[in-house]
Every structure is written in structure tokens, then in C-alpha cells.
Amino acid sequence: MNTISLKEISKKFLRQTIFNNISFEAQQGDVIAITGYNGSGKSTLLQIVAGYISPTSGQVDFFFKNKKIHPDNLYQYISLAAPYLELIEEFTLAETISFYTNFKSLINERSISDEIQKDHTEFSMGKQIKFYSSGMKQRVKLALALMTDVPFVLLDEPHSNLDQKGIIWFNDLLAQNKDDKIIFISSNRVREETGFCNKFINLEDYKKN
């Protein structure tokens, strides 16, 4: 069994408490929404889960097949997609996928290019990423995250920059790849982005009184 355990996670910036004493457990197959108003700390909590930043107090533990993952090895088990993460602009789509697979294995390397280009004539394997729109770049990031062969996936505002066709595409891709993973979704669009979520962390419940 794969699990993620958050134990009394708190985060402060200077004297400001962002959130306080979050305890939560997720198991394989869970899709968890992190919700709250703008500035409530959704991206901060997601980055703490990812190990990118440290909590002020508390800890996050990951278990893969019931064995605890050492923090130094966590990167091997997670994938992350977020609007603030940059793709290498000079790479083509083919080069982006090839470069990515030097670090992470994909569930099906052949199918990812087909998935990214599905119902979208603007994608080209030989086109440099710098000529992609923001929505096309987001689509590449989401496909890489969800189709990586890892048990834990973290998505920060996945609908960002996607048009309606892109949102439908993302929802279909999420539905196909959620059952054997634990997926965290940080969301500003609760109704649209959290339809697949079965658990919720509302950060407004973790503000220090």
C-alpha cells in the first residue's frame, strides 16, 4: 500500500502563520483537493508535500509498498505540474519528452506524444516549446506529470491557461491515470478542478486563531 502522511504541518513566514497543525493521511487511489482563498497557502502546502520547501513544524512521510521513503530519494517517486514550472524553451516537443525520460520513466513513452497532440492540430513534435501558447505548454506539463510512472502526483491549479477543450482533455487524462496513484490538486476553481477528488484539505480550517 502507498500512503502519504501529514503530521501537524504548520508554516510561518516571519511572524505570519500561513496554516497550522494540518494532519492528514492519503492512500493509493485518493485524489485530494487543497482548497482555500487566494493567498491561503495552497501552493505552499503542495510544495511542502513535494519536499521543495520545509514546514516550520511537523513532517510529511511517504510510504511505497508499505516501506518509508527516505527524503533524499523522494524525487524518484513524485511528479509535479504547476504554472510556475518552466519548460526548456529551446527544446522541441520530441526533445522535451526525450530529455524528461533521462530522469523519470513514462507509463507509455510512445503514447504520450499522441496524448499531448490529441484533438489539437497546433502541436508538432519538431516545433520548439517557445512557439507554444501558454495553454499548450500547460498541456505538456500535465501529460508528463500524469503519465510518469510514479505513485505520487502533485498538480497545482491544473486548469490554468487551458481552454474548454483542454479542460475536457485533462479531465479524461486524469480519469485514466488516477486509480493506482495518490494525486494532490491545489485548486482555485473548486467546482471545475475537484470533480474527481474524494478528499479535501480546506486551508481555511487550519488558520491559527
Side-chain angles (χ1 to χ4, degrees), residues 144-188:
L144 288 172
L146 282 168
M147 298 184 74
T148 299
D149 188 14
V150 292
F152 311 116
V153 177
L154 311 177
L155 306 175
D156 198 350
E157 299 182 18
H159 285 186
S160 294
N161 300 314
L162 295 181
D163 58 17
Q164 191 58 41
K165 183 186 288 187
I167 290 172
I168 293 170
W169 166 86
F170 164 73
N171 290 343
D172 288 344
L173 186 63
L174 178 61
Q176 295 168 29
N177 291 280
K178 67 182 179 65
D179 292 340
D180 61 344
K181 301 178 184 294
I182 296 175
I183 300 175
F184 278 81
I185 297 177
S186 168
S187 175
N188 266 330

Side-chain angles (χ1 to χ4, degrees), residues 129-147:
I129 296 295
K130 66 182 178 181
F131 296 116
Y132 280 20
S133 69
S134 58
M136 293 166 70
K137 292 175 183 176
Q138 178 72 347
R139 190 160 169 157
V140 172
K141 288 186 265 187
L142 291 170
L144 288 172
L146 282 168
M147 298 184 74

Side-chain angles (χ1 to χ4, degrees), residues 1-192:
M1 177 65 72
N2 305 328
T3 60
I4 302 176
S5 176
L6 281 65
K7 299 177 181 177
E8 298 184 351
I9 297 295
S10 298
K11 185 63 178 178
K12 294 181 180 179
F13 290 116
L14 300 177
R15 296 184 179 180
Q16 181 183 7
T17 298
I18 307 303
F19 42 75
N20 197 51
N21 290 332
I22 299 175
S23 293
F24 184 86
E25 185 165 299
Q27 298 181 337
Q28 187 171 331
D30 285 341
V31 183
I32 304 98
I34 301 172
T35 63
Y37 55 81
N38 289 343
S40 61
K42 296 185 296 296
S43 294
T44 298
L45 179 58
L46 200 71
Q47 290 178 59
I48 288 173
V49 175
Y52 287 10
I53 61 176
S54 298
T56 303
S57 60
Q59 66 183 57
V60 182
D61 294 322
F62 287 77
F63 296 85
F64 178 64
K65 297 182 179 179
N66 295 320
K67 293 184 178 181
K68 189 174 180 179
I69 301 171
H70 192 280
D72 290 346
N73 299 324
L74 180 59
Y75 72 94
Q76 301 175 28
Y77 296 87
I78 66 170
S79 61
L80 172 67
Y84 46 81
L85 294 182
E86 298 293 336
L87 299 168
I88 299 176
E89 297 275 296
E90 299 303 319
F91 279 4
T92 64
L93 178 56
E95 290 168 337
T96 297
I97 296 171
S98 177
F99 181 74
Y100 187 85
T101 56
N102 288 325
F103 305 94
K104 299 284 180 68
S105 296
L106 297 172
I107 295 170
N108 188 326
E109 189 171 342
R110 289 186 176 182
S111 68
I112 188 168
S113 58
D114 294 336
E115 186 62 52
I116 292 171
Q117 297 176 88
K118 183 185 289 183
D119 302 323
H120 205 306
T121 58
E122 294 300 315
F123 285 96
S124 169
M125 293 297 287
K127 188 175 183 178
Q128 288 179 304
I129 296 295
K130 66 182 178 181
F131 296 116
Y132 280 20
S133 69
S134 58
M136 293 166 70
K137 292 175 183 176
Q138 178 72 347
R139 190 160 169 157
V140 172
K141 288 186 265 187
L142 291 170
L144 288 172
L146 282 168
M147 298 184 74
T148 299
D149 188 14
V150 292
F152 311 116
V153 177
L154 311 177
L155 306 175
D156 198 350
E157 299 182 18
H159 285 186
S160 294
N161 300 314
L162 295 181
D163 58 17
Q164 191 58 41
K165 183 186 288 187
I167 290 172
I168 293 170
W169 166 86
F170 164 73
N171 290 343
D172 288 344
L173 186 63
L174 178 61
Q176 295 168 29
N177 291 280
K178 67 182 179 65
D179 292 340
D180 61 344
K181 301 178 184 294
I182 296 175
I183 300 175
F184 278 81
I185 297 177
S186 168
S187 175
N188 266 330
R189 306 174 182 178
V190 177
R191 289 186 180 181
E192 296 89 347

Side-chain angles (χ1 to χ4, degrees), residues 192-208:
E192 296 89 347
E193 291 183 322
T194 65
F196 290 99
C197 297
N198 65 315
K199 294 182 177 180
F200 292 80
I201 300 174
N202 182 355
L203 293 184
E204 295 176 38
D205 296 333
Y206 298 95
K207 299 298 181 180
K208 190 171 184 179

